[in-house]
Every structure is written in C-alpha cells, then in structure tokens.
C-alpha cells in the first residue's frame, strides 16, 4: 500500500492586495508514485496550487494561507522554499525564463550547485538526468539553440537533478508545438513509469492526460469541481464543460453514441463500435448548443461548426484574389533559408488555416504579406497590387497582422487607447475612431474595462484586445499568428468565435496560423500545410486530414475523431457530432436494407 | 563580443581560462604602462602572434578595426595639434609636421600646426586602444562563456550572484532583442513609421516600445524568480559547480611568461623609463 | 596639461571613479533614510531576477538606434534610470553598472577597456543622483541633472587624460544621448507607476 505523500486539508489562499480567494477550501491527497492531473481554465487557481506545494506560496509570493499543507512529511511554509526544492520540483510553462546555464549541462547543474553539493556528485546527477531526459548529445549546446521541446526537457532535467520525490509541472507544454508536446509527454511518462516519481501535471491537453493520469482533478474558481479516476471524471462531460475544460473527442463521441463504457482512446472507440457495445436511439443532438445536428452535408462539414451560433448561415461567398504569392523565396541575413518557392492564392472571404511544424516557414510567409519581411526573390500582390516598395505602414490598412504574444503588441495604458492607436496612425477621423472603439469594446466583451491598463486583463482578454486593436484599422485581410497559444479552451473558443463573426458578418478574409488541429477542424474552411519552407498541402480540412502521410511530413496529428472515422469508414469527419450522425445514418440505412 | 566564441582545437583554446585571463590582464597593464609607439607595436605584434596560434578569424574584426582606424586618425591629428609631450626619446617634439589648414590654399595662412610630439603620442594612444581591442577579442574568441563563468566563480570576495547575474543577463539579451523586434514590428503593423518625423517625435515613438518592454520584463523577472526559488537559488552560500582544472605544462609556461614579462616591463618602465616616449 | 593615457592618467581617473561611488553612496543613504518605502531594497531572489532582466534589457537597448541629429542614439542607459526610479537606487545603480558592462561587451568594448570600470561607477552615480533630484525637485530637473552629470562623469576622465579637444567634438552627441536615455527611463518609470496605481479599478480582483 503506497503511502500518502501530499496532503492538503481545507486549504485556502488569498493573494496580498486581493479580495478574492485564489484557492477556496481545497482538500487533496496524493499517494507516492501516483500521476495526478489537474485541469481547469486559466485563473482557476492551478498555478497557486502548484506553488503551495513547494512553499513559494506563501513564503515568496505573499498572501494569506489557511488550512493544513503537508508535503513529504514537511509543512512547506515552515520548511522554506530552498529546503522544499530537493523534495518538490516545480517546472513552469515558459522555458526561456527557467533556463539559467550557458549550456544544457550547466543548466542541469544549477539546482544541485545551489544545494552546495560536491562537484563529483553534481556531475553524477547531471549525467544521469541528461540521460533520463533523453538529452544525450546536447550537453554542451547553448539553451537558446535548442528546440522548444528540448528546452522544456532541459528545464525538467534541471529540476529533476535535485532528485525530488515529487514533480509538479505547471502547463509544461503550453508554449510548445505538437512535436515538443509529444517529447514532454514522453518524459512525463518516463518520470512516472521508469523513475517512480510522483507527478502532479497541470495541463490543458486533455487528450494526452486521459491515458497518462491515475487521477484527475478539475479546478474551477479556486476549488475542485470534479475529481476521481479518468473514467469517473470523463464520464461527466457536462460538468467538464461547465468548468471550462474541453471534452476529448473520444469521450464526447462515446457519450453521443451511448457507449457502454467511457472510451479513452481511438482504439477503445473502434472496439466499442465493432463489438456493438453502444446504443443510439435518436440522431445525436449537439451537446453544446442543444441543437439537433443537421444532415451531414456532402463535404462532411455541418454548416457552421461553431456550435454557439444558434442559426447557422451558409458560408459567405468567396470572391476575387486578395493575396497572391508567386515563387516566394526568403533567406535570413544569417543565411538560413526560410522560404523556398511558395505559391499561394487567397481569395476574398476565405477562412484559411496555415499549419505545420515550428520552423516550417508559416510566420515567415505571413510576415511577408504586410511587408514586415521583404522577399529575397518572388512576387507578392495584395488586392491585385504588387507590395514592392509599399511600406508596412500603408499595407497594414489592408492586411492586419496579429502577433502571437499579446504582451508584445499592447503598448498603451488603457484598453480604449489601445483600440484607437492603429486608426489614429492611419489618419482616421477622431469621431469615427471613438465610434469604432465603442463598437469593438462591446464586440469583444471588454466594455467595462475601457479605462483599465491592458496588463491587468487576463491572457484571453489581452489576446482578444490585441486582435480587436488590429480589427480597429478595418483591414480586408486579417492574419492571426497562433491565437490560442497558452490559452484555455474557453478562451480559445472566444477568440475563434470572434474571428468567425468577423468572417461571416463583415466578410473579412481570415488567415490563422495554428498547431491546434481541434481549432482547424472546427473553424477553418481551407487548410494550407507547410513544411521546409514550401506549401506541401492545400485543401479543405477533410481533404488534408484524409492524407496521413501529409500530416506526418508536417509533424501534425489529426484530431481523434478524424482518426476514428477514417479507420472505421475510410472517410474523414470533423466533429464527434457529425461522426455520430453518420454512424446513426449508416446503421439505420442498414436496418432499412434489412427490412426490405 | 567582438568575435564570438568558437570551439577549435588550438593551443590557445586548450589553455586554462584563468591563464588566458592573466595573459589578457598582463597585456592591458603593459599597454597602459608603455607610451612609446615602437614598444607598443612590439607588444601588439606579440598579441597578433598569440591570435595567430588561436587561428583567430581576422576577417570578423574588419568592421571594428576600420572604425578604430578612423578614431586613431582623429586622435593623432587632435593630439598633434593640441598636445606636446616632455619626451625622453624624441629629439624635437615641437617640430611642426604639417598644418591642419594647409598653406597652399590661396589666400589662407597655414593654421593649426600638427607637432611631432603630439602626433607620435597620438599613434601610441591609438596603438594602446588597438592592443586592448585585440587582446579582448582573442580572449573572447578562445574562451567559452561557460569557462568565463567558471573563472568569475573562482574569484574570491565576489559573491557568486554577481557571476550569475552577468551570465544570465548575457544569455537573456537575445531573448529581449527578439521581443523588441516584435514590438517594433507590431508598431509598424499598426501604422507607426519609425523613420519619419522630427527627432523628438522619433524619440517619442521609440519610448512607446520601451514602456511595454519594461512592463514585460518585470513580469518575466517575476516568473524567473519563481523558477530560481524552485531550484534553491541562494540556499548555499557558495556555488559549488566548479570544474576542477589541472594546469598543464603549457599553462604554466604561458602563465609564467605573461607574469614575468609584465612585471619586468613595468618595473623597468618605472625605474628607468624604458618604454616611455 | 593633460595627464596622458598611461598609468598616471588612469590612476587619477580611478580615484575619480571611487569619488563617484562615495558620492553615490552618500546620496543613496539620504534617499534610503527619507524614502524607505521606495529606496530600501531587500536583496532576495526577486531583486536579483529583476536586476538580471533589466541588465539584459540595457544590453538589448544598446541595439535600439534612434537616428538623431548628431549621431544615432542607443537606449542603453534608460534601463538604469528606469530601475532606479521604479525599484529604488540600489537596484538602479546595479542595473546601470551591469547594463553598461553588458552593452559595452556586446559592442566589443568599443571604448577602451581600462576605462570601463570608470564608466560603470559613473553610470551608477548618475542614476542615483537623477532619482534624488526627481524626488526632491521633479522629473524635468532630474532629466537635466542626469544629462549633465552623465556627460561630465563619462567625458571628464577622458578630458583629464587626453585634453578637452576630442571631448568637445563628441560633446553634442553625448549630451543628446544622455538626455534621451534619462528622459525615456524616468518618464517610462513614471508612466508605469501611474498606470499601475490608476488603471486598476477596485472591482477587478487580482488574478493568478
């Protein structure tokens, strides 16, 4: 019988200067060797929970802590952070701010050296951790020359080198691309299975957690909304949704078709269907909006996949080309070749997702479209006019560009100023500007924040503000670079729903860069796949997802439901609801055939 | 750094970083002590020889060197025009070499004489600057940043936090630079033209980047502090990741030669003005 | 009569630098005593992290170039002024010195390396003096005093060593550069402080 290693009893915490409780009466018990996942939207108290485990809250970040915290037999608050560090390892989301060495080796040595260990002991640990975290061969590499996944692996190795019994990972994959995410999850698996470490994993990636965690806690507004084994937690999708957590495709599909047990993987689902352990009495209803899912159209997309839209409209008509890229080559001054002969035409009214691995050239390509980068050779036309010699300050009136990190594009000290900044630079009349700002504030749901410093908004709100600040310039084309990085599912949906409204109601052409195939399958009407500076695939989401070899080239993973429907019927469907409807259709038509 | 560190299998690269540091300090001390251009030129040649052994990529020095040449020329002219030294070796330091406003321009009398003493002194000064530049460049090129951290960590009386701040800040410069570039690009994408406007307007536009840059760096510092706490920063008074270095014969030779020559030169300069102009 | 760029000149300049540091320490003491809330600094992990990041900003700032009338101006010293006004003089002086070191190292120790310690002391002194004046009089006099102090402390040693002629030639660009850095650093600190206090309504609770 494993012993209890973490015990929280009725723990509450209020940050200094705040009135709201960040944690509100939390109780939790973790056994040695367990892997516990904590889910929940941003601001629900997950990070606070993580920091309480090693005592940084309240020793370092001040506030009022109530209740009893015991970790590995110690009370972190009394033991102090430095003392806890060799028992509880804490890894954060942003790899850049947690790497301190000039090389991988030195970074891993940083923690043990702070503990005052001898050089020989440090080197023994460094060698072992580098080996355990699959970083062999990179010992002398400078951290800034690593990929995102390798950086995060180094950060984990650096914490693990202090040989803690417990590792707390706070959204370790939030900044990574799919390849990096896969690397980090394989390390977490190794920590749990090979090294016997107790793991507390705070994550947004529900699909990966479901097969990794022994137990799952779902946080909402400072307390646990749900807890139990994955089977227990995921059998209550309504509560998950209410807490702002995305329900994995497999689970949602299982629920829609009335599977006898909650499926956790695509294999589970396929087995369920093949063994017939499901029962669906009526065509499925969309679980979010409660609307019956309409007949599946020929392309397999249900109209308006955005489920929050109660009265789906047909897709807007696609018009003349707004962006034409011909034989575009680009080489950075360092000599690195980023684009290698790109051809791409985007028409007015399209909703395009550009996907591909980090370094495939997505951002380099889109930065050419508003003139931030200039081609080494090749031609770009915007609205039919060549961009050569046209400065960004002019192009930005037609092609709006929203950067990945909202903090790098919010400059003003109030939300309203921020929205008025772009149009004022374009020379729009003050009256029109104030009308636009007014309208945008209510569009993005920030009306009451108009005089607040953007820094004080949540990450999701800042991302919406950054987007609206570009929309304020009223460009025909909107380019949005990874709009959902570091956001929770609810915040991501809010951003994408807003983009869809702009697309549908104002006829904007939307180009998003993303790694999130769930977002692609829900919103994009066209997918452009890039790899090694070239466009390697182009088509509807169905067409692209029907080519597993193309997805492999781009290091992308298809959404689970596409995987399932492809395996079952050789056809790609994009949402669990559509798949369930197709299943119903197939079985009922079988039944009809049987009757006649 | 002037020339970025490259790992190469040369004698200089293999030297103990402490020895390289001593060599650099000795070169700088001697270059400060001496004032005679010929002596300085000899010192400069020895530095170049050291650089040759290290296979220094001289081409990368071209930019700095050509800039320094211009500075050197200006220094020589200004020194020549304004300054004469009480020389022990020059026969006639007051002699006029040429005039800054030459006499052959019709209707103008020759003006602002450039004198030998000052001019030669200007050359010596330029040489000093060149020597230090070269020595630092070679040291930086042949010593990896980690070795430098190791050296700082060994200096007594300096808390290891100083080494930490220096090396980590150094490592963060590119991160901040990327952020800065994005901020500027984001400004451009919202219609700001940095190249236009009067000087005060341009300063104002630039400070608009600085505000979010500082605001973000404060957030970054707070997350970094959390990560440092999680790695027990400051727990031990000493930083114990100190690689054991063993001095080879080559190390001893360079160390003794550097120290010996430097002490001899400085003593001779003080006692018998050997190396003075 | 200039002292020359040899041992004598440098020794006098180093003595001067020690003078800067002593002055800085005296001014700082007054600040700490009179405004303990703003200028008393606890040397914990957070402070060290802030110094590190702001020193990196100073290094990166050396590469922002504002094309000016006399020369292009780099924003390398702004971080020091900012840190002094925002986190107190001890942090400011440290950031100014380390930032100056990193900016110079990145520029390949463009001005003569033996002079560097003198610059570091000069920068630390200047930002402390500037925040002192800002506290006592106001932000505009602080910018003026900072500019003058920076120019004198940085160019003064050179003038001692090689005479004033070269110094007069680079005086305009030095003055403008100092003024821009002081103005940007101090005003941004003031703007951030104001934003922090005013732009956060009571009904918004701290989010974490």
């Amino acid at each position: 019988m494993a012993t209890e290693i973490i015990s929280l009893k009725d723990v509450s915490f209020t940050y200094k200067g705040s009135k709201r409780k960040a944690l509100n009466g939390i109780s939790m018990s973790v056994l040695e060797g367990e892997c516990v996942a904590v889910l929940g939207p941003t601001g629900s108290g997950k990070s606070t929970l993580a920091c309480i485990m090693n005592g940084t809250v309240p020793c370092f970040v001040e506030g009022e802590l109530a209740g009893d915290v015991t970790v590995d037999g110690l009370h972190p608050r009394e033991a102090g952070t430095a003392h806890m560090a060799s028992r509880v390892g804490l890894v954060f989301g942003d790899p850049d701010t947690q790497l301190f060495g000039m090389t991988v080796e030195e970074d891993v040595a940083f923690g043990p050296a702070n503990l005052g260990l001898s050089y020989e002991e440090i080197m023994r640990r460094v060698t072992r951790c580098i080996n355990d975290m699959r970083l062999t061969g990179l010992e002398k590499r400078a951290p800034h020359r690593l990929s995102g996944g390798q950086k995060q692996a180094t950060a984990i190795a650096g914490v693990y080198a202090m040989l803690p019994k417990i590792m707390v990972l706070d959204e370790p994959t939030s900044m990574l691309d799919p390849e990096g995410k896969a690397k980090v999850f394989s390390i977490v698996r190794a920590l749990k299975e090979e090294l016997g470490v107790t793991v507390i994993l705070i994550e947004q990636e529900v699909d990966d957690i479901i097969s990794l965690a022994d137990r799952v806690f779902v946080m909402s507004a400072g307390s646990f909304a749900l807890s139990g084994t994955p089977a227990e937690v995921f059998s209550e999708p309504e509560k998950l949704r209410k807490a702002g957590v995305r329900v994995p495709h497999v689970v949602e599909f299982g629920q829609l078709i009335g599977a006898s047990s909650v499926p956790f993987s695509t294999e589970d689902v396929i087995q369920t269907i093949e063994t017939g352990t499901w029962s669906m009495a009526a065509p499925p209803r969309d679980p979010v909006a409660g609307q019956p899912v309409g007949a599946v159209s020929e392309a397999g997309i249900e109209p308006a996949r955005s489920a929050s839209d109660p009265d789906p409209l047909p897709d807007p008509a696609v018009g003349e080309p707004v962006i034409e890229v011909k034989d575009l080559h680009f080489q950075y001054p360092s000599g690195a070749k980023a684009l290698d002969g790109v051809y791409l035409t985007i028409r007015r009214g399209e909703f395009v997702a550009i996907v591909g691995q980090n370094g495939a050239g997505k951002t380099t390509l889109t930065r050419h479209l508003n003139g931030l980068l200039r081609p080494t050779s090749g031609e770009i036309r915007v609205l039919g006019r060549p961009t050569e010699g046209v400065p960004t300050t002019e192009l930005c009136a037609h092609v709006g560009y929203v950067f990945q990190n909202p903090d790098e594009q919010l400059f003003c000290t109030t939300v309203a100023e921020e929205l008025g900044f772009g149009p004022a630079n374009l020379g729009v009349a003050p009256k029109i500007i104030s009308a636009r700002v007014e309208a945008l504030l209510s569009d993005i749901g920030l009306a009451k924040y108009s005089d607040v410093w953007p820094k004080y908004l949540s990450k999701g709100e800042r991302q919406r503000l950054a987007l609206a600040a570009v929309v304020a310039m009223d460009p025909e084309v909107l380019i949005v670079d990874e709009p959902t990085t570091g956001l929770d599912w609810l915040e991501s949906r809010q951003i994408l729903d807003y983009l869809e409204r702009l697309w549908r109601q104002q006829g904007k052409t939307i180009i998003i860069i993303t790694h999130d195939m769930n977002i692609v399958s829900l919103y994009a009407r066209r997918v452009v796949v890039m790899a090694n500076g070239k466009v390697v695939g182009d088509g509807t989401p169905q067409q692209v997802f029907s080519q597993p070899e193309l997805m492999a080239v781009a290091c992308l993973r298809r959404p689970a439901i596409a995987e399932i429907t492809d395996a079952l019927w050789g056809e790609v469907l994009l949402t669990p609801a559509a798949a369930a409807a197709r299943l119903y259709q197939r079985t009922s038509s079988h039944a009809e055939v049987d009757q006649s | 750094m002037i020339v970025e560190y490259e790992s190469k299998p040369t004698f200089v690269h293999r030297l103990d970083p402490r020895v390289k540091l001593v060599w650099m300090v000795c070169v700088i001390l001697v270059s400060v002590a001496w004032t005679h251009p010929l002596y300085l030129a000899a010192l400069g040649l020895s530095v170049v020889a050291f650089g040759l052994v290290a296979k220094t990529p001289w081409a990368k020095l071209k930019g700095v060197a050509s800039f320094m040449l211009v500075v050197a020329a200006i220094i020589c002219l200004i020194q020549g025009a304004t300054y004469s030294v009480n020389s022990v070796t020059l026969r006639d330091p007051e002699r006029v070499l040429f005039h800054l406003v030459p006499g052959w321009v019709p209707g103008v009398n020759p003006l602002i004489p450039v004198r030998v003493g000052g001019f030669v002194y200007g050359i010596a000064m330029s040489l000093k600057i060149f020597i230090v530049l070269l020595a630092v460049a070679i040291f930086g090129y042949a010593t990896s940043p980690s070795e430098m951290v190791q050296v700082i960590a060994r200096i007594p009386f300096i808390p290891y936090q100083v080494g930490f701040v220096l090396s980590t800040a150094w490592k963060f410069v590119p991160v901040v630079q990327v952020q800065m570039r994005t901020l500027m690009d984001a400004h451009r994408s919202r219609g700001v033209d940095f190249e236009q406007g009067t000087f005060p307007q341009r300063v104002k536009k630039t400070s608009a980047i600085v505000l979010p840059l500082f605001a973000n760096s404060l957030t970054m510092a707070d997350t970094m502090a959390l990560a440092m706490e999680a790695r027990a920063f400051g727990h031990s008074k000493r930083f114990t990741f100190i690689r054991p270095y063993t001095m080879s014969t080559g190390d001893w030779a360079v160390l003794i030669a550097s120290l010996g020559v430097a002490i001899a030169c400085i003593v001779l300069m003080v006692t018998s003005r050997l190396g003075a102009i | 009569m200039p002292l020359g760029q040899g041992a004598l000149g440098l020794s006098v300049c180093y003595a001067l630098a020690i003078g800067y540091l002593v002055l800085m320490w005296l001014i700082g003491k007054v600040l700490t005593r009179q405004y303990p809330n703003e200028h008393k600094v606890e040397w914990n992990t957070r402070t060290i992290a802030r110094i590190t990041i702001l020193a990196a900003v100073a290094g990166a700032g050396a590469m922002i170039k504002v094309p000016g009338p006399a020369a292009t101006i780099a924003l390398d010293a702004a971080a020091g002024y900012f840190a002094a006004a925002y986190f107190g003089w001890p942090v400011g002086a440290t950031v100014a010195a380390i930032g100056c070191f990193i900016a110079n190292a990145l520029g390949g120790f463009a001005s003569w390396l033996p002079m560097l310690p003198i610059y570091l002391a000069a920068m630390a002194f200047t930002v402390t003096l500037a925040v002192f004046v800002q506290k006592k009089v106001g932000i505009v006099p602080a910018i003026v005093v900072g500019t003058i102090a920076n120019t004198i402390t940085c160019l003064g040693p050179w003038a001692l060593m090689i005479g004033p002629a070269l110094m007069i030639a680079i005086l305009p660009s030095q003055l403008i550069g100092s003024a821009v850095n002081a103005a940007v650093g101090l005003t941004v600190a003031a703007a951030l402080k104001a934003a922090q206090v005013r732009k956060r309504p009571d009904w918004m609770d701290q989010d974490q």
Side-chain angles (χ1 to χ4, degrees):
Chain A
M1 174 78 200
T3 50
E4 185 182 52
I5 195 161
I6 298 173
S7 148
L8 305 185
K9 286 197 189 103
D10 200 22
V11 173
S12 296
F13 183 76
T14 313
Y15 281 97
K16 196 177 168 184
S18 165
K19 293 189 188 82
R20 194 173 63 88
K21 282 184 173 166
L23 291 182
N24 192 359
I26 275 195
S27 295
M28 166 184 212
S29 159
V30 179
L31 302 180
E32 199 164 356
E34 256 191 319
C35 176
V36 171
V38 181
L39 302 173
T42 335
S44 61
K46 302 189 304 293
S47 298
T48 312
L49 180 69
C51 289
I52 274 183
M53 307 258 180
N54 82 337
T56 34
V57 164
C59 296
F60 188 65
V61 181
E62 287 171 40
E64 214 173 296
L65 178 70
D68 184 41
V69 184
T70 315
V71 178
D72 197 13
L74 290 175
H75 300 289
R77 175 201 236 158
E78 282 116 52
T81 313
H83 205 71
M84 291 308 291
S86 49
R87 292 162 189 262
V88 184
L90 193 48
V91 179
F92 300 92
D94 180 8
D96 278 328
T97 47
Q98 47 184 332
L99 296 181
F100 304 108
M102 290 288 188
T103 62
V104 169
E105 189 179 82
E106 276 167 51
D107 187 77
V108 178
F110 181 71
N114 283 329
L115 292 178
L117 301 175
S118 71
Y119 176 78
E120 293 72 27
E121 173 60 18
I122 295 174
M123 275 321 283
R124 239 194 323 276
R125 289 190 182 192
V126 166
T127 318
R128 204 186 117 190
C129 291
I130 283 181
N131 190 30
D132 284 345
M133 300 302 141
R134 295 133 170 86
L135 287 163
T136 318
L138 300 172
E139 289 89 345
K140 304 283 176 200
R141 188 80 66 89
H144 68 263
R145 299 226 168 128
L146 299 173
S147 73
Q150 288 168 336
K151 277 187 196 172
Q152 199 58 286
T154 308
I156 296 176
V159 169
Y160 184 60
M162 303 171 82
L163 300 183
K165 280 193 203 160
I166 306 161
M167 291 281 281
V168 182
L169 300 110
D170 188 357
E171 304 205 0
T173 67
S174 59
M175 307 286 199
L176 306 179
D177 66 346
E179 210 187 2
K181 284 187 177 159
K183 177 158 181 92
V184 168
F185 281 120
S186 79
I187 288 175
V188 174
R189 198 173 284 279
L191 281 174
K192 174 196 169 193
E193 288 167 4
E194 293 163 28
L195 305 169
V197 177
T198 308
V199 177
I200 313 273
L201 180 59
I202 298 171
E203 255 305 333
Q204 298 288 350
E205 292 294 318
V206 278
D207 295 300
D208 294 280
I209 272 182
I210 206 169
S211 61
L212 193 64
D214 300 316
R215 276 191 307 147
V216 178
F217 289 81
V218 179
M219 280 194 93
S220 169
S223 47
F224 291 134
L226 269 175
S227 66
T229 61
E232 287 163 4
V233 168
F234 286 102
S235 60
E236 304 207 54
E238 296 315 320
K239 282 192 181 167
L240 280 176
R241 274 188 203 104
K242 228 178 115 203
V245 174
R246 185 170 70 80
V247 179
H249 276 170
V250 285
V251 174
E252 191 179 340
F253 185 63
Q255 189 206 13
L256 284 172
I257 63 168
S260 53
S261 63
V262 182
F264 284 149
S265 61
T266 51
E267 290 77 32
D268 287 357
V269 173
I270 292 168
Q271 204 189 358
T272 307
I273 291 186
E274 280 171 353
T275 54
T277 50
W278 57 276
S279 65
M280 188 165 33
R285 299 169 73 81
D286 186 307
V288 180
Q291 297 281 328
V293 175
V296 181
S297 73
E298 263 176 59
I301 319 175
E302 347 143 36
R305 277 166 282 160
S306 160
S308 56
D309 205 345
D311 194 13
L313 300 164
D315 287 3
V318 166
E320 79 281 4
V322 283
I323 295 211
E324 292 155 276
V325 176
K326 280 191 195 117
D327 197 24
L328 176 62
H329 290 258
F330 181 76
Q331 203 166 7
Y332 280 100
S334 65
K337 206 162 192 183
L339 293 177
D340 190 14
V342 172
Y343 289 85
L344 183 67
T345 301
I346 289 171
R347 295 173 176 277
R348 190 182 292 277
E350 282 196 294
F351 196 126
V352 184
I354 302 184
V355 300
Q357 208 185 345
N358 275 358
K362 308 185 298 291
T363 299
T364 314
L365 169 65
T366 47
R367 286 196 180 181
H368 276 86
L369 304 182
N370 79 337
L372 287 173
L373 293 175
R374 299 289 170 172
T376 308
S377 72
E379 194 196 24
I380 298 159
R381 284 168 180 268
V382 169
L383 303 173
R385 284 209 329 253
T387 59
E388 202 183 331
V390 186
T392 301
T393 42
E394 236 169 84
L395 283 169
C396 69
H398 306 291
V399 181
Y401 197 104
V402 186
F403 293 79
Q404 184 179 342
N405 184 349
D407 297 329
E408 291 173 356
Q409 50 189 324
L410 299 176
F411 331 115
C412 304
T413 51
T414 70
V415 169
E417 263 176 62
E418 196 68 60
L419 292 171
F421 183 84
N425 284 328
L426 293 181
V428 177
K431 259 196 181 153
I432 303 177
I433 295 183
S434 56
R436 271 193 210 168
V437 169
E438 204 68 24
L440 282 168
L441 279 171
S442 67
D443 270 1
I444 56 170
L446 293 179
K448 64 174 179 173
Y449 296 96
S450 77
D451 281 330
V452 172
W453 190 23
K455 201 97 199 152
Y456 288 134
L457 302 176
S458 75
K459 176 106 193 254
E461 288 164 340
R462 274 178 288 157
Q463 186 75 54
R464 262 181 285 156
L465 175 60
L467 174 55
V470 173
V471 174
M473 301 193 297
D474 200 24
E476 284 96 334
V477 181
L478 254 180
I479 301 170
V480 192
D481 191 349
E482 298 198 28
T484 60
T485 302
L487 300 190
D488 64 36
W489 181 239
L490 220 60
E491 290 170 329
S492 306
R493 288 294 298 260
Q494 283 170 336
I495 295 274
L496 268 297
D497 284 347
Y498 178 50
L499 281 173
E500 171 147 314
R501 281 207 302 281
L502 290 170
W503 174 66
R504 215 172 260 297
Q505 294 166 1
Q506 300 183 22
K508 305 274 185 216
T509 308
I510 311 279
I511 303 173
I512 60 171
I513 298 178
T514 186
H515 291 307
D516 190 335
M517 292 302 123
N518 291 310
I519 293 286
V520 171
S521 67
L522 272 177
Y523 292 94
R525 264 57 181 183
R526 176 180 167 194
V527 183
V528 172
V529 187
M530 290 193 71
N532 303 322
K534 284 194 178 84
V535 172
V536 292
D538 191 344
T540 64
Q542 281 82 2
Q543 288 166 345
V544 169
F545 291 155
S546 317
Q547 304 170 55
E549 57 303 334
L550 178 63
M551 301 299 284
V553 166
C555 289
L556 296 171
R557 210 164 51 167
R558 301 194 281 183
I561 200 69
E563 205 76 54
I564 292 167
T565 53
D566 194 13
L568 283 173
W569 312 311
E571 160 190 45
V572 167
L573 295 176
L574 298 178
T575 62
R582 173 55 52 90
L583 180 65
Y584 185 79
Q585 204 181 21
R586 286 179 77 98
T587 46
S588 54
S589 65
H590 276 299
E592 277 161 33
V593 172
D594 289 349
Q595 274 172 13
S596 61
Chain B
M1 278 293 154
I2 316 167
V3 185
E4 212 170 310
Y5 167 73
E6 266 178 71
S7 169
K8 277 199 183 153
T10 73
F11 171 72
V12 176
H13 283 78
R14 271 196 302 273
L15 278 179
D16 191 310
R18 293 168 295 179
V19 173
K20 277 182 270 196
L21 184 72
V22 169
W23 168 80
M24 184 179 80
V25 171
C26 288
V27 168
I28 292 175
L29 285 179
V30 174
S31 81
V32 168
W34 278 348
T35 48
H36 196 290
L38 280 180
Y39 284 74
L40 285 168
L43 179 65
L45 282 179
S46 83
V47 174
V48 170
F50 201 73
L52 282 175
V53 176
K55 300 211 171 94
T56 309
W58 303 108
K60 291 196 177 159
L61 280 167
K62 226 192 259 167
V64 196
S66 49
F67 171 74
M68 292 314 288
L69 270 179
V70 177
V71 174
I74 296 173
I75 290 178
C76 291
L77 291 183
I78 290 180
Q79 289 298 319
T82 60
Y83 181 41
S84 62
V85 275
N86 301 323
S87 169
V88 287
T89 52
L90 286 179
R91 210 168 302 138
D92 184 12
E94 294 293 323
R95 186 163 59 90
V96 174
L97 262 181
F98 56 91
H99 288 82
L100 273 186
V101 179
W104 44 260
V105 179
V108 180
N109 287 328
L111 264 179
I112 320 179
V114 173
R115 291 173 204 280
V116 172
F119 192 77
V120 172
Y121 189 75
I123 292 176
M125 267 183 22
S126 310
L127 278 172
K128 282 172 191 244
I129 293 178
F130 263 107
I131 290 167
V132 174
L133 190 81
L134 271 183
V136 173
I138 293 167
F139 177 74
Y141 154 76
T143 317
S144 76
S146 343
E147 283 180 314
M148 290 191 200
V149 174
Q150 285 289 322
V151 172
I152 298 174
R154 275 155 214 265
I155 302 177
F157 311 119
I158 290 189
Y160 83 88
Q161 279 88 344
V162 173
F164 170 83
V165 170
L166 271 181
S167 64
T168 313
W170 181 262
K171 207 178 64 88
F172 261 93
V173 170
V175 177
V176 177
Q177 262 179 307
V178 169
Q179 210 178 80
M180 222 158 64
R181 228 169 282 141
T182 316
L183 276 165
M184 287 181 93
D185 277 350
H187 266 84
R188 287 198 188 97
S189 305
R190 301 257 291 276
V192 177
D193 190 343
F194 288 99
E195 275 79 46
Q196 262 180 9
T198 60
F199 179 65
Q201 284 172 332
R202 271 179 291 185
V203 170
K204 219 176 150 200
K205 284 177 193 167
T206 313
S207 65
I209 311 172
V210 175
L211 184 114
L213 190 67
F214 283 144
N216 289 348
S217 57
L218 301 189
T219 327
M220 224 154 97
D222 282 350
T223 29
M224 194 171 111
L226 271 182
M228 284 159 69
E229 283 281 312
R231 308 265 293 268
F233 180 78
H235 179 65
S236 156
K237 289 283 155 265
R238 303 173 299 124
F239 189 74
T240 49
F241 189 58
I242 293 188
R243 289 176 203 279
Y245 285 130
T246 41
M247 298 273 290
S248 67
T249 331
D251 285 328
W252 284 114
V254 175
L255 181 70
I256 291 166
S258 304
L259 282 175
V261 172
I263 291 168
C265 290
I266 291 169
V267 167
L268 283 175
M269 171 77 189
V270 172
T271 53
S272 56
R273 312 288 302 151
L274 188 76
I277 203 164
Chain C
M1 175 67 193
L3 300 168
Q5 208 182 340
L8 175 65
L10 267 183
S11 316
V12 171
C13 290
Y14 280 134
L16 210 56
I18 292 169
Y20 296 160
L21 290 180
V22 171
L23 264 179
M24 173 195 84
W25 193 75
L26 288 175
I27 297 170
K29 272 279 150 196
V30 176
L31 275 176
T32 315
R33 186 155 342 122
Q34 295 186 353
Y35 310 96
N37 284 338
E38 287 156 77
H39 288 283
K40 194 160 184 153
V41 169
E42 210 181 308
W43 292 95
N44 55 19
T45 312
R46 195 181 274 122
T47 308
I48 293 177
R50 283 173 179 161
I51 290 175
T52 307
I53 299 274
L54 285 170
V57 172
M63 282 162 219
I64 306 185
K65 298 280 197 279
V66 190
T72 55
I73 281 139
L75 283 176
D76 50 351
Y81 287 102
F82 171 84
Y86 202 85
F87 292 123
W89 75 271
V91 174
T94 319
V95 168
I98 295 183
C100 179
F101 178 83
I102 289 185
N104 271 289
L106 281 169
F109 295 105
S111 57
W112 202 37
L113 184 65
M115 284 299 277
L116 192 62
I118 300 164
Y119 289 158
L120 305 190
M123 283 317 303
F125 163 70
T126 307
V127 297
T128 309
L129 181 66
V131 285
F132 181 79
V133 174
Q134 188 186 8
K135 272 269 126 194
K136 291 286 171 195
V137 193
I139 191 162
V140 178
I143 294 169
V144 174
V145 170
T147 308
I148 296 171
N150 189 14
T151 310
I152 293 177
T153 52
C154 287
L155 293 190
W158 279 109
L160 278 181
M161 287 195 302
I162 61 173
L166 187 59
M167 296 309 106
I168 288 164
I170 58 174
L171 190 64
S173 70
Q174 172 74 34
L175 268 176
I176 294 169
S178 305
V180 167
N181 273 292
V184 168
L186 292 177
T187 52
V188 166
L192 264 185
K193 269 191 176 170
Q196 205 140 38
V197 178
R198 278 192 290 112
K199 305 293 165 64
R200 182 181 178 87
D202 293 335
W203 47 264
M204 274 181 79
D205 253 331
Q206 182 147 6
D207 238 16
Q208 182 73 29

